[in-house]
Amino acid sequence: MRSSITTACGISFAAESSASTPRGCSSPTRASIASRKIISACRALEQRLHIAYLGPSGTFSEMAVAKHFGHSVDGVPLPSIDEVFREAETGATQFAVVPVENSTEGAVGRTLDLLLQTPLQICAEVVLRVHQNLMAKRDSLAGVARVYSHAQSHAQCHQWLAANLPQTERVQVASNAEAARLAAQEPTACAVGPAIAAERYGLNLLAENIEDAPNNLTRFLVLGGLETSPTGKDLTSLVMSAPNRPGAVHALIAPFAKYGVSMSRIESRPARLGRWEYMFYIDVEGHQRDRRVADALAELKGLAPFLKVLGSYPAAVL
């Protein structure tokens, strides 16, 4: 059964999504930005949305929530991806926002595993340009003895740190916000993370945009009970298993070629059901209600031992 959220202003969530700029554009139009802010404000007049995300506050996940929903929502930071899923599954929040892949470090395995089990659907995606910064209480790099960072942030800035702080101790912590909190308490420490973390913990930015890859992007998924309508620029995500025999995967993706459906991503993940068994996570262009996608999925259902459509949603605005 389709569900939708309509604000007191008469604007639905699907209408907001359909205003998205096509993938590949460098920024949303002024109209689409204004539309998101209006919708967010209208929701606040009716009922504030609660959005679960991987915390603590001051992280890229919080930035993804703000980018998609605006600021008239209540973010609920949680300590693990499992708890983010659980919060939305139990109805404690209307939506959950979770990281699923980074352009340099690859997929987030735990998110993929939980997508296999959850009753939630993918309602939207958020693609965030990730800029890493070096921050500290001090005003210069002189005398810095320790760098706190999340493991992924450290990996994304490995070359810069090796060139500029080669002798400094590296300490990996649970989140970028935790790194900033610790740096705020130690006069000889600094942290790597987003500018929002520096603002939250009163730190100075000693160096900006220190990531090694200039086009460093992280993709987030918005999960909930909402089925979005086709917009003309959509993606559909699914997960399937393949029989353990030669040519099995090729046979399973053949329906997409047959019906002219383009695959934008395929990712394998151990199924944990048997030796060398895998699940395949696939994104295709188009909505599951589009004729070509619907025909391909119908044929795939008769071929795949297991198939789950995770959701159809508008392609993200970068």
mmCIF file of all heavy atoms in Angstrom, residues 218-247:
data_model
loop_
_atom_site.group_PDB
_atom_site.id
_atom_site.type_symbol
_atom_site.label_atom_id
_atom_site.label_comp_id
_atom_site.label_asym_id
_atom_site.label_seq_id
_atom_site.Cartn_x
_atom_site.Cartn_y
_atom_site.Cartn_z
ATOM 1 N N THR A 218 30.600 10.880 -0.721
ATOM 2 C CA THR A 218 29.962 9.829 0.067
ATOM 3 C C THR A 218 28.475 9.807 -0.257
ATOM 4 O O THR A 218 27.823 10.851 -0.320
ATOM 5 C CB THR A 218 30.168 10.030 1.579
ATOM 6 O OG1 THR A 218 31.564 9.927 1.878
ATOM 7 C CG2 THR A 218 29.432 8.966 2.379
ATOM 8 N N ARG A 219 27.972 8.615 -0.483
ATOM 9 C CA ARG A 219 26.566 8.422 -0.818
ATOM 10 C C ARG A 219 25.825 7.909 0.406
ATOM 11 O O ARG A 219 26.264 6.962 1.069
ATOM 12 C CB ARG A 219 26.449 7.421 -1.970
ATOM 13 C CG ARG A 219 25.032 7.144 -2.445
ATOM 14 C CD ARG A 219 25.061 6.069 -3.518
ATOM 15 N NE ARG A 219 23.746 5.744 -4.006
ATOM 16 C CZ ARG A 219 23.353 4.517 -4.338
ATOM 17 N NH1 ARG A 219 24.194 3.496 -4.201
ATOM 18 N NH2 ARG A 219 22.141 4.304 -4.798
ATOM 19 N N PHE A 220 24.702 8.536 0.715
ATOM 20 C CA PHE A 220 23.844 8.137 1.825
ATOM 21 C C PHE A 220 22.490 7.698 1.284
ATOM 22 O O PHE A 220 22.040 8.184 0.235
ATOM 23 C CB PHE A 220 23.632 9.308 2.796
ATOM 24 C CG PHE A 220 24.888 9.791 3.468
ATOM 25 C CD1 PHE A 220 25.748 10.681 2.835
ATOM 26 C CD2 PHE A 220 25.212 9.368 4.744
ATOM 27 C CE1 PHE A 220 26.910 11.123 3.447
ATOM 28 C CE2 PHE A 220 26.370 9.809 5.377
ATOM 29 C CZ PHE A 220 27.218 10.690 4.727
ATOM 30 N N LEU A 221 21.817 6.807 2.008
ATOM 31 C CA LEU A 221 20.465 6.384 1.666
ATOM 32 C C LEU A 221 19.487 6.898 2.709
ATOM 33 O O LEU A 221 19.782 6.893 3.910
ATOM 34 C CB LEU A 221 20.378 4.856 1.595
ATOM 35 C CG LEU A 221 21.283 4.162 0.566
ATOM 36 C CD1 LEU A 221 21.114 2.656 0.668
ATOM 37 C CD2 LEU A 221 20.985 4.660 -0.842
ATOM 38 N N VAL A 222 18.327 7.342 2.248
ATOM 39 C CA VAL A 222 17.219 7.714 3.126
ATOM 40 C C VAL A 222 16.249 6.547 3.132
ATOM 41 O O VAL A 222 15.748 6.135 2.076
ATOM 42 C CB VAL A 222 16.517 8.997 2.644
ATOM 43 C CG1 VAL A 222 15.364 9.349 3.574
ATOM 44 C CG2 VAL A 222 17.505 10.157 2.552
ATOM 45 N N LEU A 223 15.993 5.991 4.311
ATOM 46 C CA LEU A 223 15.140 4.809 4.451
ATOM 47 C C LEU A 223 13.866 5.153 5.208
ATOM 48 O O LEU A 223 13.891 5.942 6.155
ATOM 49 C CB LEU A 223 15.886 3.707 5.203
ATOM 50 C CG LEU A 223 17.250 3.310 4.650
ATOM 51 C CD1 LEU A 223 17.952 2.357 5.614
ATOM 52 C CD2 LEU A 223 17.115 2.674 3.285
ATOM 53 N N GLY A 224 12.757 4.551 4.799
ATOM 54 C CA GLY A 224 11.494 4.783 5.485
ATOM 55 C C GLY A 224 10.404 3.900 4.909
ATOM 56 O O GLY A 224 10.667 2.978 4.139
ATOM 57 N N GLY A 225 9.163 4.212 5.258
ATOM 58 C CA GLY A 225 8.030 3.447 4.757
ATOM 59 C C GLY A 225 7.377 4.090 3.560
ATOM 60 O O GLY A 225 6.274 3.706 3.173
ATOM 61 N N LEU A 226 8.039 5.061 2.963
ATOM 62 C CA LEU A 226 7.465 5.843 1.872
ATOM 63 C C LEU A 226 7.839 5.254 0.522
ATOM 64 O O LEU A 226 8.998 4.978 0.255
ATOM 65 C CB LEU A 226 7.986 7.285 1.961
ATOM 66 C CG LEU A 226 7.533 8.265 0.880
ATOM 67 C CD1 LEU A 226 6.055 8.589 1.060
ATOM 68 C CD2 LEU A 226 8.352 9.541 0.958
ATOM 69 N N GLU A 227 6.846 5.049 -0.333
ATOM 70 C CA GLU A 227 7.100 4.645 -1.718
ATOM 71 C C GLU A 227 7.031 5.883 -2.594
ATOM 72 O O GLU A 227 6.003 6.541 -2.671
ATOM 73 C CB GLU A 227 6.062 3.619 -2.181
ATOM 74 C CG GLU A 227 6.262 3.157 -3.618
ATOM 75 C CD GLU A 227 5.160 2.225 -4.090
ATOM 76 O OE1 GLU A 227 4.524 1.591 -3.233
ATOM 77 O OE2 GLU A 227 4.931 2.159 -5.311
ATOM 78 N N THR A 228 8.125 6.214 -3.247
ATOM 79 C CA THR A 228 8.157 7.432 -4.056
ATOM 80 C C THR A 228 7.629 7.171 -5.457
ATOM 81 O O THR A 228 7.761 6.066 -5.994
ATOM 82 C CB THR A 228 9.594 7.986 -4.152
ATOM 83 O OG1 THR A 228 10.429 7.014 -4.766
ATOM 84 C CG2 THR A 228 10.132 8.331 -2.767
ATOM 85 N N SER A 229 7.044 8.185 -6.046
ATOM 86 C CA SER A 229 6.502 8.098 -7.395
ATOM 87 C C SER A 229 7.608 8.351 -8.419
ATOM 88 O O SER A 229 8.616 8.981 -8.113
ATOM 89 C CB SER A 229 5.386 9.132 -7.583
ATOM 90 O OG SER A 229 4.330 8.905 -6.674
ATOM 91 N N PRO A 230 7.430 7.874 -9.664
ATOM 92 C CA PRO A 230 8.434 8.124 -10.701
ATOM 93 C C PRO A 230 8.599 9.618 -10.973
ATOM 94 O O PRO A 230 7.628 10.376 -10.950
ATOM 95 C CB PRO A 230 7.851 7.410 -11.931
ATOM 96 C CG PRO A 230 6.919 6.381 -11.385
ATOM 97 C CD PRO A 230 6.341 6.989 -10.142
ATOM 98 N N THR A 231 9.838 10.033 -11.216
ATOM 99 C CA THR A 231 10.123 11.444 -11.504
ATOM 100 C C THR A 231 10.695 11.638 -12.902
ATOM 101 O O THR A 231 10.832 12.768 -13.355
ATOM 102 C CB THR A 231 11.139 12.011 -10.503
ATOM 103 O OG1 THR A 231 12.410 11.376 -10.729
ATOM 104 C CG2 THR A 231 10.706 11.773 -9.060
ATOM 105 N N GLY A 232 11.067 10.530 -13.566
ATOM 106 C CA GLY A 232 11.720 10.634 -14.863
ATOM 107 C C GLY A 232 13.229 10.577 -14.770
ATOM 108 O O GLY A 232 13.922 10.461 -15.777
ATOM 109 N N LYS A 233 13.759 10.664 -13.557
ATOM 110 C CA LYS A 233 15.210 10.584 -13.330
ATOM 111 C C LYS A 233 15.428 9.815 -12.034
ATOM 112 O O LYS A 233 15.770 10.378 -10.995
ATOM 113 C CB LYS A 233 15.810 11.989 -13.256
ATOM 114 C CG LYS A 233 17.340 12.004 -13.289
ATOM 115 C CD LYS A 233 17.883 11.562 -14.632
ATOM 116 C CE LYS A 233 19.404 11.684 -14.677
ATOM 117 N NZ LYS A 233 19.952 11.229 -15.961
ATOM 118 N N ASP A 234 15.189 8.498 -12.105
ATOM 119 C CA ASP A 234 15.178 7.676 -10.903
ATOM 120 C C ASP A 234 16.215 6.566 -10.959
ATOM 121 O O ASP A 234 16.766 6.246 -12.015
ATOM 122 C CB ASP A 234 13.794 7.034 -10.722
ATOM 123 C CG ASP A 234 12.684 8.052 -10.637
ATOM 124 O OD1 ASP A 234 12.668 8.809 -9.647
ATOM 125 O OD2 ASP A 234 11.844 8.105 -11.556
ATOM 126 N N LEU A 235 16.435 5.957 -9.812
ATOM 127 C CA LEU A 235 17.235 4.751 -9.672
ATOM 128 C C LEU A 235 16.408 3.701 -8.950
ATOM 129 O O LEU A 235 15.537 4.043 -8.135
ATOM 130 C CB LEU A 235 18.514 5.019 -8.880
ATOM 131 C CG LEU A 235 19.543 5.985 -9.478
ATOM 132 C CD1 LEU A 235 20.665 6.233 -8.472
ATOM 133 C CD2 LEU A 235 20.104 5.444 -10.769
ATOM 134 N N THR A 236 16.673 2.447 -9.227
ATOM 135 C CA THR A 236 16.070 1.337 -8.495
ATOM 136 C C THR A 236 17.190 0.456 -7.973
ATOM 137 O O THR A 236 18.108 0.099 -8.725
ATOM 138 C CB THR A 236 15.126 0.513 -9.391
ATOM 139 O OG1 THR A 236 14.020 1.339 -9.787
ATOM 140 C CG2 THR A 236 14.599 -0.708 -8.660
ATOM 141 N N SER A 237 17.145 0.131 -6.681
ATOM 142 C CA SER A 237 18.155 -0.717 -6.058
ATOM 143 C C SER A 237 17.553 -2.077 -5.733
ATOM 144 O O SER A 237 16.394 -2.174 -5.316
ATOM 145 C CB SER A 237 18.683 -0.075 -4.770
ATOM 146 O OG SER A 237 19.376 1.122 -5.049
ATOM 147 N N LEU A 238 18.331 -3.121 -5.924
ATOM 148 C CA LEU A 238 17.868 -4.473 -5.621
ATOM 149 C C LEU A 238 19.039 -5.322 -5.171
ATOM 150 O O LEU A 238 20.210 -4.958 -5.359
ATOM 151 C CB LEU A 238 17.215 -5.103 -6.856
ATOM 152 C CG LEU A 238 18.084 -5.185 -8.117
ATOM 153 C CD1 LEU A 238 18.159 -6.618 -8.627
ATOM 154 C CD2 LEU A 238 17.495 -4.293 -9.200
ATOM 155 N N VAL A 239 18.727 -6.432 -4.518
ATOM 156 C CA VAL A 239 19.741 -7.390 -4.109
ATOM 157 C C VAL A 239 19.258 -8.770 -4.529
ATOM 158 O O VAL A 239 18.068 -9.082 -4.433
ATOM 159 C CB VAL A 239 20.016 -7.321 -2.586
ATOM 160 C CG1 VAL A 239 18.757 -7.542 -1.768
ATOM 161 C CG2 VAL A 239 21.080 -8.333 -2.179
ATOM 162 N N MET A 240 20.180 -9.591 -5.023
ATOM 163 C CA MET A 240 19.798 -10.923 -5.484
ATOM 164 C C MET A 240 20.928 -11.896 -5.221
ATOM 165 O O MET A 240 22.087 -11.505 -5.012
ATOM 166 C CB MET A 240 19.463 -10.901 -6.973
ATOM 167 C CG MET A 240 20.645 -10.590 -7.876
ATOM 168 S SD MET A 240 20.195 -10.597 -9.623
ATOM 169 C CE MET A 240 21.809 -10.332 -10.380
ATOM 170 N N SER A 241 20.585 -13.172 -5.219
ATOM 171 C CA SER A 241 21.595 -14.222 -5.135
ATOM 172 C C SER A 241 21.712 -14.884 -6.492
ATOM 173 O O SER A 241 20.844 -14.739 -7.359
ATOM 174 C CB SER A 241 21.207 -15.256 -4.068
ATOM 175 O OG SER A 241 19.987 -15.895 -4.419
ATOM 176 N N ALA A 242 22.790 -15.633 -6.686
ATOM 177 C CA ALA A 242 23.022 -16.332 -7.951
ATOM 178 C C ALA A 242 23.385 -17.783 -7.654
ATOM 179 O O ALA A 242 24.089 -18.063 -6.673
ATOM 180 C CB ALA A 242 24.139 -15.658 -8.739
ATOM 181 N N PRO A 243 22.918 -18.702 -8.465
ATOM 182 C CA PRO A 243 23.333 -20.099 -8.291
ATOM 183 C C PRO A 243 24.844 -20.233 -8.448
ATOM 184 O O PRO A 243 25.462 -19.491 -9.203
ATOM 185 C CB PRO A 243 22.606 -20.844 -9.420
ATOM 186 C CG PRO A 243 21.562 -19.913 -9.923
ATOM 187 C CD PRO A 243 22.047 -18.524 -9.642
ATOM 188 N N ASN A 244 25.438 -21.164 -7.729
ATOM 189 C CA ASN A 244 26.887 -21.356 -7.774
ATOM 190 C C ASN A 244 27.251 -22.256 -8.957
ATOM 191 O O ASN A 244 27.559 -23.438 -8.807
ATOM 192 C CB ASN A 244 27.369 -21.964 -6.458
ATOM 193 C CG ASN A 244 28.890 -21.969 -6.366
ATOM 194 O OD1 ASN A 244 29.570 -21.370 -7.197
ATOM 195 N ND2 ASN A 244 29.423 -22.650 -5.366
ATOM 196 N N ARG A 245 27.187 -21.662 -10.160
ATOM 197 C CA ARG A 245 27.566 -22.390 -11.370
ATOM 198 C C ARG A 245 28.087 -21.400 -12.406
ATOM 199 O O ARG A 245 27.785 -20.204 -12.352
ATOM 200 C CB ARG A 245 26.373 -23.174 -11.930
ATOM 201 C CG ARG A 245 25.185 -22.355 -12.358
ATOM 202 C CD ARG A 245 24.159 -23.228 -13.084
ATOM 203 N NE ARG A 245 23.025 -22.443 -13.536
ATOM 204 C CZ ARG A 245 21.869 -22.360 -12.892
ATOM 205 N NH1 ARG A 245 21.694 -23.022 -11.757
ATOM 206 N NH2 ARG A 245 20.884 -21.628 -13.383
ATOM 207 N N PRO A 246 28.887 -21.845 -13.346
ATOM 208 C CA PRO A 246 29.483 -20.943 -14.340
ATOM 209 C C PRO A 246 28.415 -20.177 -15.125
ATOM 210 O O PRO A 246 27.418 -20.747 -15.568
ATOM 211 C CB PRO A 246 30.258 -21.895 -15.263
ATOM 212 C CG PRO A 246 30.544 -23.090 -14.420
ATOM 213 C CD PRO A 246 29.367 -23.237 -13.508
ATOM 214 N N GLY A 247 28.647 -18.883 -15.308
ATOM 215 C CA GLY A 247 27.756 -18.056 -16.107
ATOM 216 C C GLY A 247 26.478 -17.633 -15.418
ATOM 217 O O GLY A 247 25.631 -16.977 -16.038
#
